[in-house]
Amino acid sequence: EDQVTQSPEALRLQEGESSSLNCSYTVSGLRGLFWYRQDPGKGPEFLFTLYSAGEEKEKERLKATLTKKESFLHITAPKPEDSATYLCAVSTSGTYKYIFGTGTRLKVLA
Amino acid sequence: NAGVTQTPKFQVLKTGQSMTLQCAQDMNHNSMYWYRQDPGMGLRLIYYSASEGTTDKGEVPNGYNVSRLNKREFSLRLESAAPSQTSVYFCASLGAVNTEAFFGQGTRLTVV
């Protein structure tokens, strides 16, 4: 059964304190791994797509990486406006399912 | 430039009542999805439609039905609402299965 697990569930950082969020996946065949940001009361918004092990994507203070078993979302020198829930999702070969993890709630303190 | 539109935004139902959540997208996407989001549970897939005319069960389909009315619209029906169906429901659409999903703003449903 396809599974996506995110850790930690919640993370509190001081402004400027860099850290990483983890997304581990067990799937029959990975088509793509996706990172989203979700603000309270809103739908998730797309951040990155990664397709193959070794791939990296960057956007401002965020950098996503992918291995054969997991993905990391690295946050460098975060600001309070980076506070949100970060979700990862996978699409798998042979189906049209799009499966999400449980998310990491990030709080960045000024 | 609406993207994905869900109606209603809020709804309160009594146990046993029925209702339909509506979702429409204007991006000419083939695939559409319904998720529910509960605290600490992330987004769980209820049903999806890979293309017009097809629907499939996701992770938590019990108690729900769906209709892919046309390429634009994908509705979710609760035939007999239960308190366990209290949740926030999101509709999403994708142009292709290995691309980004676009989400609606969600429907907050409370069943009392």
Side-chain angles (χ1 to χ4, degrees), chain A residues 54-71:
Chain A
E55 190 173 359
E56 298 181 352
K57 294 276 180 72
E58 281 189 76
K59 180 180 179 180
E60 296 181 356
R61 295 176 293 282
L62 301 177
K63 178 180 177 180
T65 61
L66 181 65
T67 72
K68 288 187 177 180
K69 293 183 178 181
E70 59 192 348
S71 177

Side-chain angles (χ1 to χ4, degrees), chain A residues 1 4 8 11 15 19 26-27 29 32 38 44 74 78 81-82 86 91 100-101 104 106-107 109:
Chain A
E1 184 180 336
V4 181
L11 183 63
E15 184 172 3
S19 188
T26 305
V27 298
Q38 186 177 24
H74 306 280
E81 53 261 42
D82 294 322
Y86 291 85
S91 64
F100 280 83
T104 294
L106 174 66
K107 179 74 173 177
L109 305 170

Side-chain angles (χ1 to χ4, degrees), chain A residues 10-60:
Chain A
L11 183 63
R12 290 167 69 93
L13 300 173
Q14 292 293 323
E15 184 172 3
E17 180 186 3
S18 301
S19 188
S20 297
L21 283 55
N22 179 263
C23 172
S24 298
Y25 60 92
T26 305
V27 298
S28 52
L30 183 71
R31 269 186 170 147
L33 186 140
F34 310 85
W35 282 97
Y36 290 83
R37 169 189 171 128
Q38 186 177 24
D39 293 303
K42 295 189 175 182
E45 290 188 351
F46 171 75
L47 292 172
F48 302 109
T49 306
L50 301 165
Y51 292 112
S52 57
E55 190 173 359
E56 298 181 352
K57 294 276 180 72
E58 281 189 76
K59 180 180 179 180
E60 296 181 356

Side-chain angles (χ1 to χ4, degrees), chain B residues 9-23:
Chain B
K9 288 186 170 53
F10 301 94
Q11 184 71 48
V12 178
L13 288 179
K14 293 183 178 179
T15 297
Q17 286 186 318
S18 62
M19 80 161 294
T20 299
L21 281 63
Q22 306 285 355
C23 176

Side-chain angles (χ1 to χ4, degrees), chain A residues 43-45, chain B residues 1-7 9 22-33 68 70-74 90-95 100-106:
Chain A
E45 290 188 351
Chain B
N1 197 14
V4 179
T5 303
Q6 289 183 238
T7 56
K9 288 186 170 53
Q22 306 285 355
C23 176
Q25 52 93 6
D26 61 4
M27 294 172 284
N28 201 35
H29 284 168
N30 289 317
S31 303
M32 297 184 73
Y33 298 73
R68 183 76 183 265
N70 47 56
K71 192 171 186 178
R72 289 187 65 248
E73 298 172 287
F74 188 38
F90 286 101
C91 176
S93 72
L94 283 74
E100 67 193 84
F102 293 83
F103 284 84
Q105 287 297 301

Side-chain angles (χ1 to χ4, degrees), chain B residues 31-90:
Chain B
S31 303
M32 297 184 73
Y33 298 73
W34 276 106
Y35 295 90
R36 60 178 289 174
Q37 188 171 37
D38 303 296
M41 300 293 288
L43 286 161
R44 290 186 292 170
L45 181 62
I46 305 172
Y47 270 94
Y48 63 102
S49 171
S51 60
E52 186 179 354
T54 68
T55 60
D56 285 286
K57 295 179 180 179
E59 302 166 285
V60 289
N62 291 344
Y64 305 95
N65 284 302
V66 291
S67 296
R68 183 76 183 265
L69 304 170
N70 47 56
K71 192 171 186 178
R72 289 187 65 248
E73 298 172 287
F74 188 38
S75 62
L76 178 71
R77 183 159 177 86
L78 287 70
E79 291 291 352
S80 179
S84 60
Q85 294 177 306
T86 293
S87 188
V88 181
Y89 291 85
F90 286 101

